[in-house]
Amino acid sequence: MHSWVLPMLKPEPVALMVLLILLVSIIQGMRRGAPRSAKHLFFFIWQAASVVLALVIAGKVSTRLSPVIRDLLVERHIVVPKEELSSMKQLWYTFITSLRDFELLRFSALFLLSYAIVRSLLQFIEPLFEVVYDRFVRSEQAADSGRQHSRMPQRMRSGTASRATGALLGALLGAGRAFLVIAILFVYVSLLPGAAGVDSIRASALYKKTAAEILTPVAGDVLKQGPVFSDAVQAEFRKVLERKYEVIDAAVPANIEAAAVKVTKNAHTDEEKARALYDWIGTRIAYDWDKANNYVNKNIWKEQTPVETFDTRKGVCIDVARLYAVMARSIGLDVKVVTGLGATGSGGYGPHAWNEVKLADQGGKWIPLDATWASSGDWFNPKGFASSHIQQA
């Protein structure tokens, strides 16, 4: 006990937060008295147990259902219509095809849905526990209290003893609340080791003791891969964004398709067609520095369709990559819009977008290209492309 009290007495944020939680809980316990404090403690334990139970059930259900849902969606042969889609249809096709193709997104969606259903069912039966508590637990407490204090004045039985017991129960409730807060901090630190406030949390003696002696033995093996999981979530999110562009740009306007056919009329292989489009877009679409500067300096972003890029003959990297993808698909090439980081030329990296094209007539291999950078050199599948382009999805 002494080893737990000392870390709480050190003046640092986590310890002060825990002391505040304990103090508030003790005061609440004294004000409520023994019966109401016991009830709050009982339902706090029940709610904590129901959360754990819901998490376990949701995890098992999601693991079993994820491959089943994937197979069902694959069998449906969902194809994005090559026509102008409403915003709702764009959202639907983005979601349903992402659910089919991206495992982490599918598992997460099933997990959240399963957890919500299980928690709702457990909350539905919670009033039954309250009835049971009121009828049996409190009546038993009243009987015990009557037997133990039958010779004491009524004021003593209902006053001092009740408040003292309430304070003790409040302290236990506060300890549970404080542990829950530290557990949340433990997850935060594990998943986001470079986030704000992490160093301050790790420096807390109380946090270190709780994490080392209780949390790490229970969940350390699961959460030690936290940063990897966090990166995986970000990568999956980027894939969903790329899928959004694929859905929005599925419909190819007649003039853009005609231009793609004309540009590639003398090309015969997939590589020659991809190269012809790269040369055409790279020499005709100017980089929109005004749009880029508005985003960097003023955080103002203008979403731009491939039609606008084609008509205005200017755009930033994502606009160029989307136009290339639309033109390539219109002549039968399989192409991706890839987002990630591109070298800035000053030793750093910044957000960037480019393309990958599948050469079906060369064994189905994928090659990278960056039409946005065409004016600065040949970025059509050059050696060392990966050293200047970091794919994050």
Side-chain angles (χ1 to χ4, degrees), residues 252-266 273 276-277 280-281 284 310-311 313 323 326-328 330-331:
V252 182
N255 61 331
I256 293 182
E257 182 176 359
V261 171
K262 184 177 180 180
V263 168
T264 59
K265 65 179 180 179
N266 296 322
K273 294 175 183 177
L277 288 174
W280 189 87
I281 291 177
R284 283 166 176 77
F310 183 82
D311 291 341
R313 292 293 198 269
L323 176 60
V326 166
M327 297 184 74
S330 71
I331 58 169

Side-chain angles (χ1 to χ4, degrees), residues 102-123:
F102 305 145
E103 184 177 357
L104 184 57
L105 173 68
R106 184 172 58 252
F107 179 86
S108 300
L110 289 171
F111 182 86
L112 292 174
L113 179 61
S114 302
Y115 177 79
I117 292 173
V118 175
R119 281 287 286 146
S120 297
L121 292 174
L122 292 174
Q123 287 178 339

Side-chain angles (χ1 to χ4, degrees), residues 87-299:
S87 298
M88 289 302 297
K89 285 186 175 181
Q90 289 175 7
L91 181 62
W92 165 251
Y93 279 106
T94 300
F95 172 74
I96 201 67
T97 57
S98 297
L99 199 66
R100 177 194 63 196
D101 298 335
F102 305 145
E103 184 177 357
L104 184 57
L105 173 68
R106 184 172 58 252
F107 179 86
S108 300
L110 289 171
F111 182 86
L112 292 174
L113 179 61
S114 302
Y115 177 79
I117 292 173
V118 175
R119 281 287 286 146
S120 297
L121 292 174
L122 292 174
Q123 287 178 339
F124 179 75
I125 65 174
E126 189 170 305
L128 297 178
F129 280 89
E130 187 167 2
V131 171
V132 171
Y133 181 89
D134 288 337
R135 286 190 177 182
F136 296 100
V137 179
R138 290 187 63 182
S139 62
E140 185 65 24
Q141 287 178 342
D144 289 343
S145 178
R147 287 192 295 269
Q148 294 172 8
H149 304 288
S150 58
R151 297 180 181 179
M152 296 176 64
Q154 178 67 26
R155 180 177 299 177
M156 180 64 73
R157 294 201 301 269
S158 61
T160 305
S162 179
R163 285 195 294 272
T165 305
L168 178 60
L169 294 172
L172 293 174
L173 181 59
R177 289 169 173 168
F179 177 76
L180 181 61
V181 169
I182 293 179
I184 293 172
L185 294 178
F186 179 71
V187 175
Y188 175 72
V189 169
S190 300
L191 294 182
L192 303 170
V198 165
D199 291 339
S200 177
I201 295 170
R202 282 177 172 161
S204 166
L206 179 60
Y207 171 82
K208 285 191 287 189
K209 184 172 180 62
T210 308
E213 297 187 13
I214 301 177
L215 297 173
T216 298
V218 174
D221 290 340
V222 176
L223 291 177
K224 67 183 179 182
Q225 297 298 328
V228 176
F229 176 78
S230 180
D231 290 342
V233 171
Q234 292 182 41
E236 196 91 324
F237 179 69
R238 288 180 177 275
K239 287 181 182 179
V240 174
L241 289 180
E242 291 171 8
R243 179 57 52 84
K244 181 194 75 170
Y245 290 133
E246 292 176 14
V247 171
I248 293 174
D249 301 339
V252 182
N255 61 331
I256 293 182
E257 182 176 359
V261 171
K262 184 177 180 180
V263 168
T264 59
K265 65 179 180 179
N266 296 322
H268 303 290
T269 67
D270 288 347
E271 186 171 4
E272 289 174 351
K273 294 175 183 177
R275 178 80 197 209
L277 288 174
Y278 166 86
D279 291 336
W280 189 87
I281 291 177
T283 56
R284 283 166 176 77
I285 307 300
Y287 193 80
D288 192 342
W289 289 104
D290 290 337
K291 179 177 178 177
N293 290 333
N294 277 336
Y295 178 68
V296 172
N297 300 325
K298 302 177 183 178
N299 202 30

Side-chain angles (χ1 to χ4, degrees), residues 362-389:
Q362 293 187 33
K365 69 177 182 179
W366 289 83
I367 61 170
L369 60 95
D370 189 345
T372 305
W373 287 7
S375 60
S376 64
D378 187 2
W379 290 97
F380 184 87
N381 193 27
K383 292 182 178 179
F385 188 92
S387 63
S388 57
H389 295 71

